[in-house]
């Protein structure tokens, strides 16, 4: 049985969310996706109880693909679109932040509604590239107004740090979730965001749990890493600044030992470890093909023992946490973390 959690009153999600970032055009450096196989995978996931999907307005083609999937559910399945939860994002381009107004926000939300063939968006997660442009509270109010108009059911944030999330909460924005990068390599939320969200009843939805697939047997005992996606380029930067390649191999060895004890694989242990942490509602795991469906189903087929959690935690305490608050390095002009970001993807 897939574990579920009540994100807010009368709204539940699966604790492993199907991520659609990997479907975005330009994500893969090598592999060309078989989109019919992806469609098959999505149907299988829903049948198995993985009913929650995560996409974004800037994941080129992802919202449209999910819209087609929901249409197929309506026409050819025992389930219906009402049985599925769709989380998208609102990510104004960095070049347009000073110009964002209510009309622009509504236009982007209306576009997501059209792409997804939905009357209302289950959860819109708000991202703001540059806090030096101080319109993020005003823009969050736009989403609150669209919630009143019935176009949005729930509001969350993505990549906010503690200070700026608090400003939204203090301004009365009804935030139900915070999506942050969180893995055995990137533990920045543990500094303050995790505890703040717990105190405010805001659930954490975590991406990057498997670091684009680097957290797997495929990379065990490898002296050099051949990268396949843009995600892996990003996550390797995190590994280099925290564990280093030697620590990376030591951690994979530890996770592999625990995985063999439970008859599963490294990704399952890494995911269950993150899900065991305080305030974590769900982990977002990308699905690129139907082969991933069976693997994801094994996440809830075993119980990670407390001694396993403690052993992993003790290992990680020997290594530094990445500098700054969540997404702070990615916002730092000139940093290697920002230099790989594409920040103007909403332009029509």
């Amino acid at each position: 049985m897939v574990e579920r959690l009540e994100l807010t009153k009368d709204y539940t999600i699966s604790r492993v969310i199907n991520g659609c970032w990997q479907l975005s055009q330009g994500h893969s450096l090598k592999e060309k996706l078989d989109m019919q196989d992806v469609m098959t995978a999505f149907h299988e996931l829903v049948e198995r109880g993985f009913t929650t999907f995560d996409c974004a307005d800037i994941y080129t083609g992802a919202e449209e693909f999910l819209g087609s999937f929901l249409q197929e559910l309506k026409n050819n399945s025992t389930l219906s679109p009402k049985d599925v939860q769709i989380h998208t994002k609102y990510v104004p381009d960095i070049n347009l932040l000073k110009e964002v107004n209510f009309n622009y926000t509504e236009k982007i939300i209306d576009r997501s509604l059209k792409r997804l063939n939905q009357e209302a968006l289950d959860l819109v997660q708000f991202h703001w590239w540059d806090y030096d442009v101080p319109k993020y509270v005003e823009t969050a109010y736009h989403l609150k107004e669209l919630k009143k108009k019935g176009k949005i059911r729930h509001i969350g944030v993505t990549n906010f740090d503690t200070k700026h999330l608090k400003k939204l909460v203090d301004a009365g924005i009804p935030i139900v979730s915070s999506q942050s990068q969180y893995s055995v390599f990137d533990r920045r939320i543990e500094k303050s965001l995790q505890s703040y969200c717990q105190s405010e009843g805001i659930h954490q939805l975590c991406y990057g749990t498997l670091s684009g697939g680097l957290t797997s047997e495929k990379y065990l005992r490898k002296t050099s890493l051949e990268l396949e996606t843009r995600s892996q380029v990003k996550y390797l930067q995190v590994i280099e600044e925290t564990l280093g390649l030697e620590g990376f191999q030591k951690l994979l060895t530890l996770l592999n030992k625990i995985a063999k004890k439970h008859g599963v694989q490294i990704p399952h242990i890494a995911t269950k470890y993150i899900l065991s942490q305080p305030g974590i509602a769900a982990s977002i795991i990308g699905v690129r093909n139907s082969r991933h469906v069976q693997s994801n189903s094994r996440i809830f087929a075993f119980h990670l023992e407390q001694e396993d959690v403690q052993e992993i935690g003790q290992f990680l305490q020997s290594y530094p946490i990445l500098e700054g608050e969540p997404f702070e390095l990615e916002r730092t002009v000139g940093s290697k973390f920002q230099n790989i970001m594409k920040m103007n993807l909403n332009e029509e």
Side-chain angles (χ1 to χ4, degrees), residues 55-211:
C55 64
D57 51 4
I58 61 169
Y59 297 174
T60 309
E63 287 185 327
E64 292 92 335
F65 186 81
L66 276 172
S68 299
F69 167 64
L70 293 174
Q71 189 62 43
E72 285 198 10
L73 276 184
K74 185 183 297 184
N75 296 334
N76 305 310
S77 175
T78 56
L79 297 169
S80 79
K82 292 182 179 179
D83 299 310
V84 173
Q85 304 80 47
I86 303 294
H87 299 174
T88 192
K89 301 180 184 73
Y90 173 44
V91 187
D93 287 350
I94 192 168
N95 288 347
L96 298 176
L97 294 184
K98 294 179 180 178
E99 304 170 25
V100 171
N101 56 28
F102 179 80
N103 289 337
Y104 176 83
T105 300
E106 186 169 35
K107 181 182 74 171
I108 298 299
I109 295 302
D110 284 344
R111 187 182 66 182
S112 291
L113 286 167
K114 182 178 179 181
R115 288 172 171 176
L116 290 162
N117 294 318
Q118 297 283 78
E119 294 181 359
L121 301 173
D122 291 327
L123 176 69
V124 173
Q125 301 161 105
F126 174 46
H127 173 83
W128 194 257
W129 287 111
D130 185 358
Y131 294 134
D132 288 336
V133 181
K135 294 184 67 175
Y136 55 92
V137 175
E138 175 186 335
T139 304
Y141 271 117
H142 300 162
L143 298 177
K144 186 176 181 181
E145 287 302 310
L146 292 171
K147 183 176 185 294
K148 290 179 181 178
K149 292 178 72 170
K151 294 186 177 184
I152 295 172
R153 294 191 176 98
H154 306 293
I155 300 171
V157 296
T158 183
N159 294 325
F160 265 69
D161 60 24
T162 312
K163 175 183 175 181
H164 295 91
L165 174 56
K166 185 177 187 302
K167 289 188 176 181
L168 295 187
V169 172
D170 291 347
I173 307 300
I175 305 295
V176 302
S177 64
S178 172
Q179 184 177 139
S180 306
Q181 187 168 292
Y182 187 35
S183 69
V184 288
F185 307 120
D186 187 352
R187 296 177 287 134
R188 285 177 286 182
I189 74 165
E190 294 178 1
K191 294 179 180 180
S192 64
L193 182 65
Q194 191 174 20
S195 59
Y196 173 74
C197 286
Q198 282 185 274
S199 71
E200 295 294 331
I202 297 171
H203 292 285
Q204 287 284 344
L205 308 178
C206 303
Y207 70 91
T209 304
L210 301 180
S211 300

Side-chain angles (χ1 to χ4, degrees), residues 1-3 262 264 272 296-304:
M1 293 291 293
V2 174
E3 292 180 7
H262 292 284
V264 294
K272 287 296 275 280
N296 286 4
S297 296
R298 298 175 70 188
I299 292 169
F300 299 108
F302 74 102
H303 176 68
L304 192 63

Side-chain angles (χ1 to χ4, degrees), residues 325-343:
E325 278 267 308
F327 216 73
E328 183 177 337
L329 289 170
E330 292 85 345
R331 284 190 170 88
T332 302
V333 176
S335 75
K336 66 179 182 180
F337 294 89
Q338 191 193 64
N339 288 340
I340 63 171
M341 294 286 168
K342 295 185 178 181
M343 298 180 282

